[in-house]
Every structure is written in C-alpha cells, then in structure tokens.
Amino acid sequence: MESNNLEASLADQHDILRSRLNQEGLRLTGPRKKILDLFVMTPDGEHLSAEDIHYQVTTKGGKISYSTIYRALHMMVDLGIMREVELAEERKYYELKTSLAKQHHHLVCVQCGEVHEFEDHRVTKASRQETLEHGFLLRDCQFTVYGICQTCQLSAL
Ligand SMILES: [Zn+2]
Ligand SMILES: [Zn+2]
C-alpha cells in the first residue's frame, strides 16, 4: 500500500516536471529525475540542501557533481516546482512547492537547526492583500520564525 502510494506520487511528480520542462524545451534527464525522487521520498517536514543530495546519491553508489545539483535545483525553482527555504544562514535548503493555499511556514531552532512546519492562513492572507495593493502577482511567501528549542534551552542550564 505504502509503496504503491509512493510510486504513484513519484510518477505524478515526474509527469509534472516533464511537462514543465517540455514547455521550456528542456528534458527530464537522469540526474534531474534522481534529485526530484529524493524530494518526493523525503518525509514531510524535512528539507534538503545540495550537500544532503550529494551525500544521499553518492552513498547509494551513484555519481553526481555539485554543479549538476545546483543547476537542477535552480532550474526547478525557476519552474515553480521547488522552493528555496531560508532556514539557516550558511546553507540553502529546498523543498517541493505546494499550492499557495497549503503553504506552510517554518519555526527554526538557531542552535541545533531543528525545524517545525506550521500553517497559518493569516500569513497567506496578508501576503495576498499586500501583493494586491501594489499590483503584484503572488508567487511565494515565506515566513520563518527563529528561536531556541526546549532541548537546547535545557542543555544550556
Ligand atoms: Zn518546509
Ligand atoms: Zn535546538
């Protein structure tokens, strides 16, 4: 059951990406497919950096260069399939983009990097209102809250 669902969502994501790429005259190459699969298989609430992708592909015996990873990520962000999330200062993380209605935000521990995702329609509503007032088209909105988690607070005592 689980694996059927996973295969269905992998196939869906391939179709979405393939058709977006085709519109731009691009192809769904092996590395692009591999990177997309990693995101589809990543549990909800987890985010991947270029380093994570490189590690996951190479530990399974695959070969991929950082430049291939960066190019694929930027391309998928441009196509609106993925979004870059600001979770840490020193590293960029990525996740599959969901519809604006289901958009989530992040609460990040600045000490250990633990991330909680949350939904709040007020953030989306405020973004819509702001874009509307200035005649913008809403593409994405990110709301990141930085704090110190309970575990880190306790270990500082
Ligand atoms: Zn997220
Ligand atoms: Zn923490």
Side-chain angles (χ1 to χ4, degrees):
M1 186 69 201
E2 271 280 289
S3 72
N4 279 345
N5 281 342
L6 180 62
E7 272 172 36
S9 63
L10 282 176
D12 282 351
Q13 290 294 334
H14 289 164
D15 285 347
I16 294 166
L17 181 58
R18 189 178 285 117
S19 70
R20 286 294 292 122
L21 287 168
N22 287 345
Q23 283 170 18
E24 307 292 327
L26 300 162
R27 285 191 317 117
L28 181 59
T29 58
R32 288 169 185 169
K33 208 179 200 173
K34 210 176 272 179
I35 292 170
L36 185 68
D37 288 354
L38 285 178
F39 280 94
V40 176
M41 290 185 286
T42 298
D44 278 353
E46 283 183 32
H47 307 83
L48 300 175
S49 65
E51 288 78 7
D52 295 331
I53 294 166
H54 189 262
Y55 178 81
Q56 290 201 29
V57 172
T58 52
T59 48
K60 283 176 199 151
K63 265 189 176 174
I64 196 160
S65 71
Y66 273 102
S67 63
T68 302
I69 297 172
Y70 286 122
R71 262 186 288 128
L73 287 173
H74 291 159
M75 186 199 69
M76 289 192 251
V77 169
D78 283 346
L79 294 175
I81 290 157
M82 262 180 219
R83 72 168 175 162
E84 204 177 275
V85 283
E86 294 152 12
L87 301 179
E89 268 178 24
E90 72 280 7
R91 196 171 278 192
K92 282 177 176 159
Y93 286 89
Y94 298 84
E95 66 187 4
L96 288 174
K97 201 165 170 179
T98 46
S99 69
L100 275 174
K102 281 200 253 166
Q103 197 148 64
H104 64 263
H105 309 288
H106 302 99
L107 170 63
V108 186
C109 174
V110 292
Q111 287 186 7
C112 68
E114 186 179 318
V115 179
H116 283 285
E117 295 189 327
F118 63 95
E119 284 178 35
D120 192 325
H121 70 277
R122 290 171 300 178
V123 177
T124 315
K125 203 176 158 194
S127 313
R128 277 192 208 287
Q129 206 166 344
E130 200 62 29
T131 46
L132 203 66
E133 269 172 30
H134 297 277
F136 278 51
L137 203 61
L138 182 57
R139 286 284 304 272
D140 188 19
C141 88
Q142 291 200 23
F143 184 56
T144 310
V145 184
Y146 299 95
I148 297 168
C149 75
Q150 277 192 340
T151 313
C152 290
Q153 288 177 51
L154 288 173
S155 65
L157 292 177

